[in-house]
Amino acid sequence: MNAITKILPNIQAQIIDAFNFRHATKVFDPERKIDESAFETILEAARLSPTSFGHEPFKVLIIQTPEKRELFREFSWGANGIMNGSAGQLGTASHFGIILASTAETMTAGSDYLVDHYRTVKKLPEPVIEMFNGAYGKFQTTDHGITTDRQITDWSGKQAYIVLANMMTAGALIGIDSCPIEGFDMGRTTQTLAQHFEIDTGKWKPAVMFAFGYRAKDPEFPKTRRSMAETVSWF
């Protein structure tokens, strides 16, 4: 029995414990801040996350200054505490941010952005780049039919959710709370990113907000999920 086999049951238990620990934290303890090295681990989980074709069609925007966070309060009901009468995640989270999704301007097969990505990030030889362009082009036009800007941006958003899931799991494994946030006005958020954050919203659109920190109190109700039999089918 090797070392990995010996510790495997303990790792499995830690994973399940982390998922049971994690909940959508609505109010954080504003006095507790995440250690810099711990949050770097969460960001590294984001950076190393898998994405379709390895295209990495996402960007993580961290918003730390109170003034910048307040720009979103009026139209981010999922983060402003209006649902529970608090300062919400915007006012209490140690770290708050938005994951941006790439648009058709960069994620259309054969785009200059993707060719550069193949060369400089993936370091592929030219014949393989040509193969990638062909395979991804078929994927977009034939296999999945994602050719409009909305369709491609939504596809990029799917990759962003993989990234956020890995961030939240990494956080839970080291005792850090989190919350994924979809309760915001997409149009006004996009406009705010362009006006106040110098984001090129022709290339990037908001996919999902997130908050990390330490819970102000434990959840009032136990975690509920469907049974395994209702969730998984074997054939």
Side-chain angles (χ1 to χ4, degrees), residues 5-232:
T5 303
K6 289 180 180 179
I7 66 173
L8 187 58
N10 186 47
I11 294 174
Q12 291 171 332
Q14 289 176 3
I15 291 171
I16 298 304
D17 285 346
F19 275 93
N20 279 313
F21 163 83
R22 200 215 69 79
H23 74 289
T25 304
K26 305 303 183 185
V27 182
F28 296 89
D29 182 346
E31 301 303 317
R32 295 189 67 188
K33 303 303 180 184
I34 299 172
D35 177 80
E36 182 178 345
S37 64
F39 198 71
E40 283 295 326
T41 298
I42 292 172
L43 290 179
E44 189 69 354
R47 190 182 72 86
L48 295 174
S49 290
T51 55
S52 184
F53 284 85
H55 282 170
E56 304 178 46
F58 71 93
K59 184 187 291 289
V60 181
L61 184 66
I62 308 296
I63 305 169
Q64 290 301 84
T65 62
E67 296 78 12
K68 290 291 189 182
R69 290 188 186 184
E70 285 301 310
L71 294 171
F72 298 93
R73 182 169 294 279
E74 183 181 343
F75 50 85
S76 298
W77 57 267
N80 64 15
I82 193 171
M83 303 295 286
N84 54 25
S86 72
Q89 297 95 327
L90 279 169
T92 62
S94 171
H95 289 67
F96 184 89
I98 302 175
I99 302 183
L100 308 178
S102 299
T103 68
E105 186 171 330
T106 56
M107 283 297 137
T108 297
S111 70
D112 291 342
Y113 178 92
L114 283 178
V115 172
D116 181 69
H117 181 76
Y118 297 147
R119 286 175 180 155
T120 61
V121 178
K122 300 182 78 65
K123 302 187 185 305
L124 299 175
E126 294 302 317
V128 178
I129 290 176
E130 185 176 347
M131 181 192 72
F132 254 77
N133 277 329
Y136 182 52
K138 179 178 179 297
F139 168 82
Q140 284 192 314
T141 59
T142 304
D143 296 337
H144 281 238
I146 48 174
T147 56
T148 68
D149 185 61
R150 175 59 187 269
Q151 290 169 338
I152 292 173
T153 303
D154 285 348
W155 171 83
S156 296
K158 291 180 181 179
Q159 316 311 309
Y161 275 72
I162 295 173
V163 172
L164 182 54
N166 286 332
M167 292 173 69
M168 292 191 298
T169 299
L173 284 165
I174 54 179
I176 295 172
D177 291 295
S178 61
C179 188
I181 301 162
E182 289 187 310
F184 60 90
D185 184 298
M186 185 68 71
R188 295 182 67 182
T189 299
T190 302
Q191 184 179 39
T192 298
L193 291 172
Q195 290 181 347
H196 299 281
F197 295 84
E198 298 183 352
I199 299 298
D200 184 345
T201 52
K203 295 180 179 178
W204 301 100
K205 290 290 193 297
V208 62
M209 294 179 176
F210 63 80
F212 285 84
Y214 296 96
R215 64 189 68 180
K217 61 179 181 178
D218 287 332
E220 295 182 20
F221 305 102
K223 184 184 290 287
T224 59
R225 293 293 189 273
R226 292 176 297 163
S227 69
M228 186 66 77
E230 293 174 303
T231 304
V232 180

